[in-house]
Amino acid sequence: MEKEHVRDALQRIVGKENVLWKDVDLAVYSYDAGLVKGKAGLVVFVDNSDQVAQIVSFLCKEGISYVARGSGTNLTGGTVPLNEGVVIEFSRMNRILEIDIENERVVVEPGIYNLTVQNALAEKGYYYAPDPASQKASSMGGNLGENAGGPHCLKYGVTSNHVLGAEVVLPSGEKTWIGGKALDAPGPDLMGLLVGSEGTLGIVTKIVCRIMRSPERVLTMLAIYSSVEAAGQTVSDIIAEGIIPATLEIMDNVVIRAVEASVHAGYPLDAEAVLLIELDGLTDGMDEQMKRITEICEKNGVVSHRIAKDANERNILWAGRRGAFGAVARIRPAYLVCDGTVPRTQLPKALTEVKKISEKYRVPIGNVFHAGDGNLHPLILFDDRDADELERVHKAGREILKACADLGGTISGEHGIGTEKLNEMFLVFKGDDIRMMSAIKQAVDRKGLCNPGKVIPAQEARP
Amino acid sequence: MEKQTTNNDGAPLRILESLGVAVKHVERPAKESEAQQILAKAFKEKLTVLPVGGATAISAGALPERVDIVLDMTGLDGMAHFDISNLNMTVLAGTAIDSINEFLSGQGKGFFLPLDPPLSKRATIGGVYASNGSGPCRLRYGTLRDQALGVRGIDAQGNEVGFGGTTVKNVSGYDLTKFLIGSAGSLCLITAVVMRVYPLPEAASVCDVTFPAIGELGKFLLGLRSSVLLPSGVTVEPVNGAFRVLSAFEGHPLAVERENRDFLALAGTFGGKGEAKMGREIMREAMRGAIDPTGEAMAIKVTVPLSEGPAALARLKELAGPAKTVLLAGNGVILVYGADERIIDGAKGLASRGYVAPVRLHRGLLSTWGPRVDPTLEQFVLRPIKEKLDPSGVFPPIL
């Protein structure tokens, strides 16, 4: 791209101070929280949707690719600019536009952090259900792009179950609305298509979300096990009993040790696994449900268990879980996390495979996962300065995803495809499936400029 | 699950003819592979195809003026796979909703599919998927977009396609499992759907309360939404100048009993009088009765923001006269079983704050409607997608 010409045009739209062009600044926006590295051509900070529409229209005319970016916490390269494209940065579009309690909706700008929204709603006795572990840093726009999940998905679903509408700038540069406060817009579920499309079908500039009344009561239990298998079996048995808790999360000893050193959540260092169980809802009958859960834990050989006495203790237990990814930096400076998902009953087999792969490639792997919905997060730990180790890590990651697909699962439960898992898409889709997705992309983004090279692999890349 | 031979008494064809659709030929595939062969042939010979299930929501889509092949999907019925341990099932598109729940209730400790669209004895899972159908219990359990985990189908070129899978969390590629919901057969023929199933709650009840005035009803509904109570579904129907509210509760027996008490107490503070009855079958029959039409009727569906539900209901009832009109409170969905021009015009007036699914009594009425979909979306998204996925026009128009 003719940088100066483009830079001048973008500066006319957003102001000189809101465009970055120096290499040292561009470098900061050329990677995300994963391992993929790209190169940004320019970075432009936007403040409103009109600016976004003008920028996209201009870039469309010039034939320059672009990618929307919130906090850059994406783990698979979804927000990494390729081909020296323009990064459209949303961190300054971070306002709550409306909290509409009467209609149980909140309208936000995409750059706002998930946790900021939660905190604002909590003051009014409401909450927004999707709560990814990254919520302190991840943006609502990013959550939408990746269809973010979180520990409470088991009961409440993921982002696409709670986003009801969005103002969108299409790849053509047109600005429009999909959905809104009322339900069931006629025709195909465009909102369902947009959520999880990783910014490849348009850029969201406002989001309408469903909010819910905070539950009357929450009970959080930490159960300690001498094996991951026993913790996993407990999860299966709870579900088989007809109880669907709000959350069922497991961490293994590798992660427990890192978390304790970092967060001091009170997890025992000699535990092979901890299982975090949470019930929420009406208080009536909850003690009896927790009693049944406790009996199931004991049947599966739980070493000990405790229920959080108050909100403070609950927060500490959760700080441990939410701090897991960051904590493992104590062991190795980098990690590759594979978020393959398997049917819940296949979790033991999946974990056995992960262990074998860890031994095969001589890479340590810590496990933290959303056990209730079968979403694994094996953290493959390594030093990215070691080229040989990095190579082994990538091979291990690919084998883990293949194992998940072979067990009847899929290659991504919540982190998305980005560029990292393009080849692995062929593990779960046939050629005609990919063709249909590709046709939709081509229909909506005729010039192929809207975050190109992500999500949909080229057919000729099929192994 | 035993294969059911759904006896639809030729209703789909009769309904299509009454809507002015000229049908050349009907095929009734019994297997997915047969459906695939029909589609492949249609693509090769440039024929048009219209899939039909129980025909309970056939006007949810854009009907063509003529169609070469009507695909009666009710031959494709039954359970392809039920995974009791992982709480999901793969069910063929032509299976009626009630048949599915009959099967599930007898498995293990008992399960159910929380989908309760009108006419669920006849409505098929494929048809409900294609028309984005739902009923009162979407308040607690959501709709197809919240319960469907995967979908199998045949594209316009006659190729088998599949999206999603059996896991609750799945962000591999574009979410076409969701996108195809509500597409009314215009982009892909749905042959099977993978659905979440739920353990049957231990207890269930229905509260039946009548309010004399709409003002108090509105305040009550707001109070209910602001409370910690968790109704599975709430319906409101104007009856003889008053408003009858039915509310279903499910869950632990202690919780259900408490919810009954608190609901009736809350209703009482706003002039509502009624009673609670325990029992799942009682609850189901009450909710079914609230939304099923009493005879053959064309319906329209209006959706508005929650706070506007009672006022919209009152306005539509005024226009509808004796025609059954019901609000699914908590969702802002209103069903009107009677669709003459007055009612349609009135519904259009509400459309600026929500949506109205169009009804076709006869072809002429189409021209009086405002756009169903935002014109920008139509021009830059929906039509291009239709042109790419179905360039030969095998399936009905998208709009």
Side-chain angles (χ1 to χ4, degrees), chain A residues 25-325:
Chain A
D25 294 323
L26 298 179
V28 174
Y29 296 90
S30 297
Y31 62 96
D32 64 9
L35 302 181
V36 178
K37 306 255 188 296
K39 189 163 190 235
L42 288 166
V43 177
V44 55
F45 291 85
V46 290
D47 185 67
N48 58 67
S49 55
D50 286 335
Q51 287 180 347
V52 178
Q54 286 174 59
I55 289 167
V56 170
S57 292
F58 168 74
L59 294 175
C60 187
K61 283 198 193 75
E62 298 288 316
I64 297 169
S65 67
Y66 54 90
V67 55
R69 183 180 175 104
S71 305
T73 54
N74 179 250
L75 288 157
T76 53
T79 44
V80 172
L82 303 180
N83 311 324
E84 292 197 45
V86 171
V87 174
I88 304 176
E89 227 290 346
F90 279 84
S91 56
R92 293 174 196 178
M93 275 180 74
N94 61 357
R95 294 169 279 255
I96 295 177
L97 300 174
E98 185 187 6
I99 298 178
D100 182 355
I101 297 293
E102 204 180 341
N103 286 301
E104 297 178 345
R105 307 286 185 257
V106 65
V107 185
V108 300
E109 288 183 327
I112 192 169
Y113 299 144
N114 178 292
L115 188 59
T116 305
V117 178
Q118 304 288 12
N119 289 341
L121 293 171
E123 287 174 10
K124 298 179 186 298
Y126 281 77
Y127 75 111
Y128 167 68
D131 61 340
S134 60
Q135 63 178 173
K136 268 196 283 202
S138 60
S139 66
M140 291 289 282
N143 289 174
L144 185 152
E146 298 299 327
N147 195 8
H152 288 86
C153 294
L154 173 62
K155 186 172 177 183
Y156 294 109
V158 294
T159 296
S160 64
N161 303 115
H162 297 274
V163 170
L164 304 176
E167 182 186 67
V168 184
V169 173
L170 299 172
S172 57
E174 306 289 328
K175 189 172 69 163
T176 186
W177 271 91
I178 297 175
K181 285 190 181 181
L183 299 173
D184 294 355
D189 187 352
L190 282 171
M191 205 62 239
L193 175 67
L194 188 69
V195 177
S197 62
E198 305 191 35
T200 62
L201 297 177
I203 298 183
V204 162
T205 50
K206 292 186 181 71
I207 309 170
V208 180
C209 304
R210 183 206 326 268
I211 59 175
M212 301 196 290
R213 186 77 172 78
S214 295
E216 185 175 50
R217 187 182 179 201
V218 180
L219 271 185
T220 308
M221 179 202 273
L222 182 75
I224 315 298
Y225 287 88
S226 55
S227 76
V228 175
E229 289 76 16
Q233 189 58 49
T234 303
V235 167
S236 290
D237 289 351
I238 289 171
I239 308 279
E241 184 62 17
I243 302 172
I244 309 289
T247 196
L248 287 164
E249 301 282 299
I250 292 179
M251 283 166 277
D252 72 2
N253 185 262
V254 172
V255 174
I256 289 167
R257 288 181 165 278
V259 161
E260 273 313 290
S262 179
V263 178
H264 316 299
Y267 300 165
L269 292 174
D270 58 350
E272 283 303 312
V274 297
L275 169 62
L276 203 55
I277 305 167
E278 193 160 272
L279 294 175
D280 68 11
L282 291 180
T283 189
D284 308 74
M286 194 178 283
D287 287 326
E288 202 246 352
Q289 275 201 329
M290 189 52 93
K291 185 164 169 285
R292 281 155 64 191
I293 288 175
T294 306
E295 285 164 3
I296 293 169
C297 293
E298 286 167 355
K299 193 187 93 179
N300 285 287
V302 69
V303 171
S304 66
H305 55 82
R306 70 173 196 271
I307 292 175
K309 287 188 297 297
D310 51 33
N312 190 48
E313 193 178 339
R314 175 179 180 252
N315 289 338
I316 292 170
L317 290 179
W318 272 108
R321 168 60 187 90
R322 295 192 192 282
F325 279 31

Side-chain angles (χ1 to χ4, degrees), chain A residues 193 424-442 455-459 462, chain B residues 151-155 157-165 172-177 179-180 188-189 191 389:
Chain A
L193 175 67
E424 282 70 30
M425 284 280 277
F426 294 108
L427 293 174
V428 290
F429 291 112
K430 303 185 306 293
D432 289 322
D433 307 329
I434 304 266
R435 236 186 307 277
M436 197 159 167
M437 287 191 257
S438 185
I440 290 172
K441 166 68 172 173
Q442 286 165 30
V455 187
I456 315 292
Q459 289 281 15
R462 189 183 186 92
Chain B
V151 68
R152 293 202 298 247
I154 315 291
D155 70 14
Q157 289 77 39
N159 302 309
E160 287 176 347
V161 290
F163 305 99
S172 305
Y174 292 156
D175 194 345
L176 296 206
T177 304
F179 176 57
L180 293 171
C188 183
L189 172 70
T191 56
L389 295 187

Side-chain angles (χ1 to χ4, degrees), chain B residues 39-213:
Chain B
L39 255 303
K41 182 169 181 265
F43 173 65
K44 197 172 161 200
E45 296 178 13
K46 295 187 180 0
L47 302 173
T48 55
V49 174
L50 176 68
V52 174
T56 57
I58 202 163
S59 56
L63 291 172
E65 287 184 357
R66 64 165 189 84
V67 63
D68 295 312
I69 303 172
V70 161
L71 264 183
D72 180 348
M73 298 300 288
T74 58
L76 208 70
D77 84 84
M79 192 72 64
H81 183 63
F82 176 48
D83 186 346
I84 194 170
S85 307
N86 287 302
L87 299 181
N88 67 70
M89 64 179 177
T90 303
V91 60
L92 297 176
T95 314
I97 302 297
D98 279 7
S99 298
I100 296 171
N101 275 317
E102 218 172 285
F103 167 78
L104 289 174
S105 63
Q107 303 301 309
K109 290 187 179 184
F111 299 89
F112 77 117
L113 174 69
L115 265 186
D116 57 347
L119 303 171
S120 55
K121 280 190 171 70
R122 214 173 86 207
T124 60
I125 186 70
V128 175
Y129 179 98
S131 62
N132 191 21
S134 64
C137 79
R138 69 179 292 174
L139 177 59
R140 183 170 179 158
Y141 298 102
T143 59
L144 263 301
R145 76 193 315 266
D146 307 293
Q147 298 168 27
L149 303 176
V151 68
R152 293 202 298 247
I154 315 291
D155 70 14
Q157 289 77 39
N159 302 309
E160 287 176 347
V161 290
F163 305 99
T166 59
T167 57
V168 170
K169 289 166 76 178
N170 189 337
V171 297
S172 305
Y174 292 156
D175 194 345
L176 296 206
T177 304
K178 287 197 178 62
F179 176 57
L180 293 171
I181 294 171
S183 60
S186 62
L187 299 173
C188 183
L189 172 70
I190 307 304
T191 56
V193 191
V194 185
M195 301 290 293
R196 282 183 82 158
V197 301
Y198 295 73
L200 276 172
E202 292 172 72
S205 74
V206 61
C207 289
D208 186 345
V209 175
T210 301
F211 290 83

Side-chain angles (χ1 to χ4, degrees), chain B residues 243-254:
Chain B
F243 295 87
R244 184 185 184 199
V245 175
L246 294 175
S247 181
F249 292 101
E250 295 170 290
H252 191 280
L254 291 176

